[in-house]
Amino acid sequence: MSFSNSSTGSGRRTFEFGGTYVVKPRGKHQATIVWLHGLGDKGSSWSQLLESLPLPNIKWICPTAPTRPVALLGGFPCTAWFDMGELSEESSDDLEGLDASAAHIANLLSTEPAGIKLGVGGFSMGAATALYSATCFARGKYENGRAYPISLRAVLGLSGWLPGARSMTSKIDRSGEAARRAASLPIFLSHGLCDEVVPHKHGDISYQSLRMSGFRNLSYKTYEGIGHYTVPREMEDVSNWLNMAMRF
């Protein structure tokens, strides 16, 4: 099932999101997860794989990122959740783009029925956006200061990285509600040790930064001989983890 395009505004820019594809649950609907594709991909690319997972109680929402110029590609336009240059600890983050994508995800989840457990996950740049959403949930707000409206129950990041990892520890209030939300949110990270697109050190940095920022419910899996792609063993780990995190 697909839905028509939608748009989200943030600050000076307006972002036109592509089509959204939905994989309906085969059993009783207990959870909904927004799944985010990587750079240059589209939501429909993941729908078949997600439908094949042994998770009959999950509804998957697979949106498509806006088409925008991407600095990493010399300004060439393609689908991207935010703008980015070379991936490094010193590079700056497109916080306006990240906020817009996180708000789009929250909007998709906001229409789900009461009592449905909500989550977000993704691959590569989609994983980065999912992890950014996790930090917005913990802080209770986007970077632009607007309130984050969704209560997340699970976040997954495959072959990705945490935007703003260097400054994350200073953004979580250790004594208040932010600390409680961070400590209670289950997060699954995974990375291939032979990934040449997003080297696995970025997975290591993300894990350490999240842990040091008060995210206690973390699972981090690495895979020998695996590059920038998923394999059945990894998706089996995803399925097992989701069954545990969502308590089906």
Side-chain angles (χ1 to χ4, degrees), residues 107-218:
N107 184 56
L108 291 171
L109 291 171
S110 68
T111 60
E112 291 302 291
I116 297 298
K117 300 169 184 176
L118 306 177
V120 58
F123 174 79
S124 192
M125 175 181 267
T129 309
L131 293 176
Y132 182 77
S133 294
T135 65
C136 292
F137 163 68
R139 297 174 66 198
K141 61 182 179 180
Y142 302 102
E143 188 65 27
N144 61 23
R146 295 177 182 172
Y148 186 79
I150 298 299
S151 180
L152 294 176
R153 290 289 300 271
V155 174
L156 304 94
L158 282 56
S159 303
W161 69 96
L162 173 64
R166 288 177 302 163
S167 60
M168 186 51 55
T169 54
S170 64
K171 292 184 177 182
I172 303 293
D173 180 3
R174 297 300 186 87
S175 61
E177 281 296 300
R180 183 192 63 78
R181 287 190 293 265
S184 65
L185 178 62
I187 298 178
F188 177 89
L189 303 174
S190 62
H191 223 108
L193 294 179
C194 295
D195 192 332
E196 295 181 349
V197 178
V198 181
H200 79 271
K201 72 174 184 178
H202 293 288
D204 297 344
I205 292 169
S206 300
Y207 172 76
Q208 294 296 339
S209 179
L210 288 166
R211 187 180 61 81
M212 292 174 61
S213 300
F215 291 87
R216 303 299 182 199
N217 197 346
L218 295 171

Side-chain angles (χ1 to χ4, degrees), residues 1-3 18-23 42-45 47 60-64:
M1 179 185 295
S2 64
F3 293 99
T20 297
Y21 298 81
V22 175
V23 177
K42 56 186 178 180
S44 59
S45 298
S47 57
W60 300 93
I61 300 177
C62 306
T64 299

Side-chain angles (χ1 to χ4, degrees), residues 38-108:
L39 178 66
D41 205 351
K42 56 186 178 180
S44 59
S45 298
W46 282 88
S47 57
Q48 187 172 1
L49 174 60
L50 296 172
E51 190 172 16
S52 71
L53 298 179
L55 296 165
N57 305 115
I58 294 180
K59 170 184 173 182
W60 300 93
I61 300 177
C62 306
T64 299
T67 297
R68 70 179 83 202
V70 178
L72 179 66
L73 306 178
F76 183 82
C78 71
T79 53
W81 299 109
F82 51 91
D83 191 17
M84 65 174 293
E86 292 293 334
L87 189 58
S88 73
E89 294 181 62
E90 290 73 35
S91 61
S92 59
D93 295 301
D94 174 19
L95 296 174
E96 187 180 0
L98 282 160
D99 272 353
S101 290
H104 183 65
I105 295 160
N107 184 56
L108 291 171

